[in-house]
Amino acid sequence: MLAFTLMPSQPATAASLPGGKATYVVSQGHLKASSQQNWVRLGSYRFAANGTVTASLHLWWQRNPQARQRTGTVPDTGCTTKAGGVQKRPRTCEVLTAGGYTGAPDETRTGTYTVSGGVLSIRWKIAQTWTEQWYVKPSSDGKLARLDLKQSSLATHGYAYGSNAALGTRRAMSSVKAFPGSLRQDLTSWASGTIVNSANQPFGHSAFRSCATSTSCLTYLQPSSNGACQKSGGCPKYGGGTKANISSIQYYLTTISKTDRRDTLWHWCTCLAMERGEFCYTGNSHVKPLMQIIDDSGAFRGWVGAEASFSTGSRATDMMAVLRITDFR
């Protein structure tokens, strides 16, 4: 009779972490044109060397729409204006974000993972079957890894970026503005039953204006827009193509937490507020929660993000998106 010894299974090593990185910021969504049950999630995946993974995510779902939420940040007049009309600075308005983003994540779940042939496979331990596969793409300098969604049993789109920097590592808005690289945006959005893919769009972070006292905020007034803020887009009196011809866009970029990666982007057409006789727009503005991408050296490399702009009217006019803004694409 042959004798044999059962060897204990070996835990995963640091080298078998996806891309060699333990912590990822993640944006993913279920976005289908025919659905009004779409959702987006934004947060983090943390991988352990024993083959387990933990997710902590904020969830926005058309099934449970959430109103926009105040952040408590009002940019000062060094980077905004309290005057209306045509200006070179955005209006002095309290920045809004997606409902619930100033609080704790909505969900935490655990799962197991393997990495084989450059593909990360995850199985989540939840009541329904949820599996994901991502292509693992290391950066040329080795300081960052990117996950490109291959397939998911629930999500249709996703972005993820990882390093070995702790989730508590983040960069101030001064570092964001000073980032020397070129940031470009890729976005898949759902609005009015239509899916739109937008790729390789420049994000002019250096054009944003620093605030004097509210240093956790940057602002930018885009002078005009060819595709948005038009007479046909809800601005019959003031928008582009009218006598007033105002097609500017108000942009605000704000830190949500100084102890983790959360930022937020808020923007809206100036003419929409004017149509309603408002100084600060209270209608369907764009709220885009963001998570900073930080590399192994602690440097800022952009964001993954989501849009969760639920309409004040019907679900048919919600605006939802999964996006990334980064130099590593």
Side-chain angles (χ1 to χ4, degrees):
M1 186 174 180
L2 295 175
F4 63 91
T5 303
L6 288 175
M7 299 300 292
S9 60
Q10 297 298 311
T13 64
S16 65
L17 293 169
K21 311 304 182 186
T23 301
Y24 283 75
V25 288
V26 181
S27 172
Q28 61 180 190
H30 174 279
L31 300 173
K32 291 187 176 180
S34 60
S35 177
Q36 289 188 17
Q37 295 290 310
N38 294 297
W39 55 258
V40 291
R41 284 174 161 91
L42 181 66
S44 65
Y45 287 178
R46 288 170 292 160
F47 295 90
N50 65 359
T52 61
V53 55
T54 301
S56 297
L57 300 159
H58 286 84
L59 166 64
W60 296 277
W61 198 354
Q62 283 184 296
R63 183 178 294 180
N64 300 301
Q66 295 173 269
R68 292 159 183 79
Q69 182 179 43
R70 295 183 175 186
T71 63
T73 298
V74 180
D76 59 69
T77 53
C79 59
T80 59
T81 179
K82 291 185 177 181
V86 178
Q87 299 291 332
K88 294 183 179 180
R89 290 172 289 171
R91 299 182 177 195
T92 308
C93 300
E94 182 175 358
V95 179
L96 304 183
T97 190
Y101 196 52
T102 61
D106 299 289
E107 59 180 33
T108 299
R109 61 177 182 270
T110 61
T112 58
Y113 76 93
T114 59
V115 180
S116 178
V119 175
L120 164 68
S121 299
I122 300 174
R123 178 176 291 274
W124 297 108
K125 296 179 180 178
I126 59 175
Q128 66 186 124
T129 300
W130 190 346
T131 60
E132 299 175 357
Q133 286 189 313
W134 303 76
Y135 295 108
V136 182
K137 306 289 185 180
S139 62
S140 58
D141 60 10
K143 295 181 180 180
L144 203 60
R146 188 182 83 227
L147 301 181
D148 297 337
L149 188 65
K150 180 183 180 184
Q151 72 82 26
S152 169
S153 55
L154 295 183
T156 59
H157 301 82
Y159 299 112
Y161 285 81
S163 71
N164 290 311
L167 276 174
T169 303
R170 62 160 294 121
R171 296 276 71 84
M173 283 298 155
S174 55
S175 295
V176 171
K177 180 174 170 57
F179 177 69
S182 174
L183 297 176
R184 290 185 172 268
Q185 176 181 268
D186 299 308
L187 176 147
T188 298
S189 66
W190 183 97
S192 302
T194 300
I195 298 292
V196 175
N197 294 295
S198 174
N200 199 30
Q201 298 299 311
F203 184 85
H205 61 286
S206 61
F208 277 69
R209 183 187 295 264
S210 298
C211 302
T213 56
S214 47
T215 55
S216 61
C217 190
L218 300 174
T219 68
Y220 172 61
L221 181 68
Q222 182 177 325
S224 63
S225 170
N226 292 327
C229 315
Q230 302 297 303
K231 177 179 179 180
S232 60
C235 289
K237 295 181 181 178
Y238 296 100
T242 66
K243 183 178 180 180
N245 201 36
I246 296 171
S247 62
S248 60
I249 305 178
Q250 314 267 335
Y251 282 93
Y252 306 80
L253 181 58
T254 301
T255 300
I256 294 294
S257 171
K258 294 183 179 180
T259 59
D260 59 40
R261 306 279 187 89
R262 284 175 293 164
D263 291 335
T264 200
L265 180 66
W266 182 45
H267 60 92
W268 42 277
C269 294
T270 308
C271 63
L272 288 173
M274 296 172 70
E275 295 285 345
R276 295 167 66 129
E278 297 177 337
F279 185 73
C280 298
Y281 185 47
T282 61
N284 292 324
S285 59
H286 294 267
V287 283
K288 297 177 177 177
L290 306 172
M291 291 284 284
Q292 286 191 357
I293 301 168
I294 302 294
D295 69 17
D296 283 348
S297 65
F300 169 81
R301 300 289 293 274
W303 300 272
V304 295
E307 178 165 11
S309 305
F310 294 112
S311 174
T312 54
S314 71
R315 300 286 64 76
T317 50
D318 291 339
M319 298 174 291
M320 308 188 74
V322 174
L323 62 101
R324 65 180 174 187
I325 304 170
T326 179
D327 66 334
F328 176 36
R329 303 166 46 257

